[in-house]
Amino acid sequence: MIFTKRGTLAASLTACALAAATVLAGCSTGAADDAESSDGGSETVRIGVVGASDAYWQTFTDAAADEGITVELVDFTDYNQPNPALAEDELDLNQFQHIQYLADYNVSNDDDLVTVGATAIYPLGVFSTKHADLADIPDGGTVAIPSDPSNRARALNVLQSAELIELSDGGTLFSTPDDVDAAKSKVEVTEMDASFTATSLADVDAAVVNNDFVTDAGLEFSEALYQDDPSDEGAKYFINIFAARADDADNETFAKLIEIYQTNEEVQAGVFENSGDSAILLDTPAAELQEIQDDAEAQIAESKG
């Protein structure tokens, strides 16, 4: 089995409403050193995220504090910043990306960030504020997709599965808009930063919107006209993860934080609820995740020649 499913939590299990988390906007000038609290036993860990206002992060922060770990969340507005910040020691961990995205980052930047813990797989959905059904999208309509390579390829495969486009390469982890067979496709594809696909809905017929930006755009997960199946075998590359620097792969404090994320019932309920009850929550072993990352990096390196 490629990944371990923790199981679908009951929708009635909800996270408690707690005080607001410590959120720092953007990047700092350096990662926090271990710091002692008033009780002399607390460590500080800075985690980069996209969407620090999501309620489950406060639940997670409080649960970590109970274990003597102070979590400082560093909030980013797009996907281009957290990996460089981690590589440059401005963060201790980040949690915003799937394995394929991290693999592409490492290959493109000759870096060696590693996967240290699983969180969930989220479906990738097609949304529209103009049309109530896929069939209503007109011939020659425009659909926006994320422009980063890993999410771009996944989005194109979603559109092909939805029968809105046909890809001449059959659909791979490396598909690009150049692979769209215009003569056999119903719609045209336009690329933009992932953070803009949802806000572009007034100007396009539909958009593929990453999970992080759905609720912030006032959308509901249930409104998706179509989405992929996160339980498919091929979805293993899209397991969302905690990432660290290679030297911290075996950091015991980080392992404790990942355990809290994966086993605390209130945290898990919050993650599930925040996803519109669509997430598949995971506790896949880190070694297995790293094997998937290594495989993805090898494929990416080969594709780049």
Side-chain angles (χ1 to χ4, degrees), residues 27 57 89 129 143 146 149 152 171-172 202 210 217 221 224 229 245-247 255 277 285:
C27 298
W57 280 119
D89 294 345
T129 56
V143 179
R152 175 178 63 198
T172 72
N210 287 35
F221 289 94
D229 183 356
R245 290 179 294 278
D247 290 346
D277 300 350

Side-chain angles (χ1 to χ4, degrees), residues 18 128 259:
L18 300 170
S128 177
E259 180 185 357

Side-chain angles (χ1 to χ4, degrees), residues 142-162:
T142 302
V143 179
I145 65 169
S147 58
D148 60 276
S150 58
N151 285 308
R152 175 178 63 198
R154 187 183 182 190
L156 289 168
N157 280 276
V158 168
L159 296 181
Q160 177 168 256
S161 180

Side-chain angles (χ1 to χ4, degrees), residues 37 45 58 62 120 126 199 211 237 271:
S37 65
V45 178
Q58 179 60 58
D62 289 345
V126 181
T199 56
N211 182 76
Y237 299 104
V271 174

Side-chain angles (χ1 to χ4, degrees), residues 13 44 67 69 85 129 141 177 185:
L13 182 62
T44 298
E67 298 293 333
I69 306 169
T129 56
S185 298

Side-chain angles (χ1 to χ4, degrees), residues 140-200:
T142 302
V143 179
I145 65 169
S147 58
D148 60 276
S150 58
N151 285 308
R152 175 178 63 198
R154 187 183 182 190
L156 289 168
N157 280 276
V158 168
L159 296 181
Q160 177 168 256
S161 180
E163 299 183 350
L164 291 175
I165 65 170
E166 185 167 326
L167 295 168
S168 58
D169 65 354
T172 72
L173 291 173
F174 314 107
S175 296
T176 74
D178 289 340
D179 297 312
V180 175
D181 187 331
K184 297 180 179 179
S185 298
K186 181 179 182 180
V187 301
E188 297 179 359
V189 172
T190 185
E191 296 181 85
M192 59 187 66
D193 189 276
S195 61
F196 297 141
T197 57
T199 56
S200 75

